Amino acid sequence: MAKKDYYETLGVNKGASREEIKSAFRKLAHKYHPDKKGGDEAQFKEINEAYQTLSDDKKRAQYDQFGHSFAGGGQPGAGGFYGSGQGFDGFDFSGFQQGSGVEFDFGNLNDIFSDFFGGGGGRQQARRGRDISTEIEVTFADSIFGVERKILINKVSNCDTCHGTGAKPETKMRTCKKCNGQGKIHETKRSFLGSVSSVKICEECLGTGEVPTEKCEKCRGAGVIRKEEEIKVVIPAGIRDGEMIRMTGLGEAITKGGAGDLYIKINVATHPIFKRDGHDLVMPFNLRLSDALLGAEYPIQTLDGEIKIKVPEGVSLGEILRIKGYGVPISKEKRGDLLIKLNIKLPSKISKKSRELIEKLKEEGI
């Protein structure tokens, strides 16, 4: 039976771009996947066969010139196809049941497609350790002006004896025998698409191609060890309660790989007087009725130290005095303001003389 034209199978024209081919393949693969209701295994295989050829520039050129007779045409996985760089994300092949009576290894199909379509040939994602997190409580003043703190973290870190190599100091490394120094292992697995070749990181050398001739005695060749480490944390000025500081590379280390990140949540303690409103600081201030009427000068304690404020005569309850430059730092040269909310303190008891004076004020309409 004559094979269909690959372009016709995917429903694209001969001048289609790689993205158009990829998009058409994803749409059709999702529609005809055998594990879906109404799927078609035969059609799915044809779609995949067409995609393997047209998504590879070299194979596509050969197909355009020779048709189905070109070397490798119509053979899924022929020639050691280690990754085309095309994605096959969004499909879960776990649990697919083959109904033809032919047995295949479906246990790692997701891994097969990851290697097959995701660039397994030397483009593996860099290995890195686990991200970790902790919390620090700082005073309100420290959150405004910034502070340096030292914390102790118990985590997996690079061994300080071998510095992460896993080798005994002053000993040499040798070529890994398992992968012959390549750092990766080529594997071929059977699937319903045929024989599929993939590339895996060597488990012996973890991709480096070398192993120590003598292992480090402290970490036993792992290159990493759990230990308590002191870390200096710079808390920036103006940080808010609940904000996170990310310290790149200070998470847990991994054998022959990069370290994760350390995330530090900042908890700001409440202040008995000051509250924060954006880049401004707000504080209440009680003044006497007479000072509200006549005006006065008061010393007040700010986060920067003591200053004097002048309350103008005739202020009202709840009126706000603004002191510029005594708020939260915005930049090295600029800060928010201090907002003083005035509260007029009324006496609970008044003397006879004071009552007479107030009565006179009342008569004058004050």
Side-chain angles (χ1 to χ4, degrees):
M1 182 177 176
K3 286 182 176 289
K4 283 186 179 180
D5 180 272
Y6 284 157
Y7 293 100
E8 183 183 338
T9 299
L10 294 181
V12 297
N13 58 49
K14 286 194 175 183
S17 67
R18 182 176 287 187
E19 284 302 313
E20 289 173 328
I21 291 171
K22 180 179 179 180
S23 177
F25 169 66
R26 284 183 172 180
K27 185 176 179 180
L28 292 171
H30 191 271
K31 179 179 179 181
Y32 291 108
H33 188 276
D35 202 24
K36 292 179 65 70
K37 187 177 180 180
D40 187 322
E41 182 183 343
Q43 186 71 17
F44 182 79
K45 287 182 179 179
E46 286 186 14
I47 293 164
N48 184 66
E49 182 180 309
Y51 177 72
Q52 286 186 40
T53 299
L54 299 185
S55 63
D56 184 278
D57 292 339
K58 185 176 179 181
K59 289 184 178 182
R60 183 177 179 180
Q62 291 176 332
Y63 174 74
D64 289 342
Q65 186 174 359
F66 303 108
H68 289 288
S69 62
F70 83 98
Q75 301 175 32
F81 189 34
Y82 302 127
S84 63
Q86 304 299 317
F88 201 70
D89 51 316
F91 298 98
D92 184 6
F93 291 91
S94 58
F96 175 77
Q97 298 298 319
Q98 181 74 10
S100 63
V102 181
E103 294 184 0
F104 295 98
D105 175 14
F106 292 98
N108 295 309
L109 277 179
N110 284 321
D111 292 337
I112 291 174
F113 278 98
S114 175
D115 292 325
F116 195 60
F117 294 103
R123 298 203 310 161
Q124 295 91 346
Q125 187 176 356
R127 298 173 68 254
R128 64 190 296 272
R130 187 170 64 94
D131 292 341
I132 56 176
S133 62
T134 188
E135 298 184 15
I136 296 178
E137 181 171 283
V138 298
T139 65
F140 187 85
D142 284 343
S143 76
I144 300 302
F145 299 117
V147 68
E148 282 190 8
R149 293 280 292 275
K150 291 181 179 179
I151 59 174
L152 289 175
I153 297 286
N154 191 294
K155 65 187 182 78
V156 177
S157 304
N158 281 330
C159 174
D160 48 16
T161 298
C162 66
H163 305 291
T165 65
K168 185 177 180 180
E170 300 181 0
T171 59
K172 295 182 179 179
M173 304 290 284
R174 62 175 175 82
T175 302
C176 176
K177 293 180 180 179
K178 188 170 183 178
C179 65
N180 294 320
Q182 297 299 309
K184 52 191 177 182
I185 304 291
H186 291 247
E187 295 180 343
T188 301
K189 295 181 180 180
R190 281 185 81 206
S191 75
F192 64 91
L193 298 178
S195 295
V196 180
S197 295
S198 62
V199 179
K200 298 288 185 183
I201 293 177
C202 176
E203 296 177 357
E204 186 70 24
C205 65
L206 299 176
T208 62
E210 294 182 325
V211 293
T213 53
E214 291 185 63
K215 293 182 178 180
C216 171
E217 294 177 358
K218 186 172 183 179
C219 65
R220 299 182 181 179
V224 293
I225 191 170
R226 179 169 288 278
K227 63 178 180 178
E228 196 171 59
E229 187 173 336
E230 185 180 78
I231 295 173
K232 184 175 76 173
V233 183
V234 178
I235 299 172
I239 197 164
R240 296 175 182 271
D241 181 52
E243 285 190 327
M244 302 283 285
I245 296 175
R246 177 186 178 187
M247 303 189 73
T248 305
L250 289 182
E252 292 204 330
I254 192 172
T255 304
K256 297 182 180 178
D261 299 333
L262 171 62
Y263 290 86
I264 303 172
K265 181 182 178 183
I266 304 300
N267 297 318
V268 179
T270 56
H271 196 279
I273 297 173
F274 299 101
K275 292 187 182 300
R276 180 171 175 171
D277 182 11
H279 287 103
D280 295 330
L281 294 178
V282 183
M283 65 171 289
F285 186 75
N286 296 325
L287 70 155
R288 293 174 300 200
L289 175 61
S290 57
D291 290 337
L293 294 171
L294 303 175
E297 195 174 78
Y298 281 95
I300 63 167
Q301 194 69 33
T302 71
L303 294 179
D304 294 82
E306 187 178 287
I307 62 171
K308 285 186 178 182
I309 61 169
K310 187 175 182 179
V311 179
E313 63 181 49
V315 294
S316 303
L317 177 67
E319 196 166 330
I320 291 176
L321 299 181
R322 182 181 293 270
I323 311 298
K324 289 190 173 295
Y326 280 83
V328 181
I330 301 172
S331 64
K332 287 184 178 180
E333 297 79 22
K334 189 176 180 182
R335 288 176 63 177
D337 302 331
L338 172 61
L339 307 180
I340 304 174
K341 189 175 182 179
L342 299 177
N343 179 39
I344 299 173
K345 188 177 180 182
L346 299 176
S348 57
K349 292 182 180 181
I350 55 175
S351 64
K352 183 178 179 181
K353 184 177 181 180
S354 296
R355 181 178 291 275
E356 291 174 354
L357 292 172
I358 294 172
E359 288 290 346
K360 288 183 180 180
L361 291 173
K362 186 176 179 181
E363 291 172 3
E364 294 178 11
I366 297 176

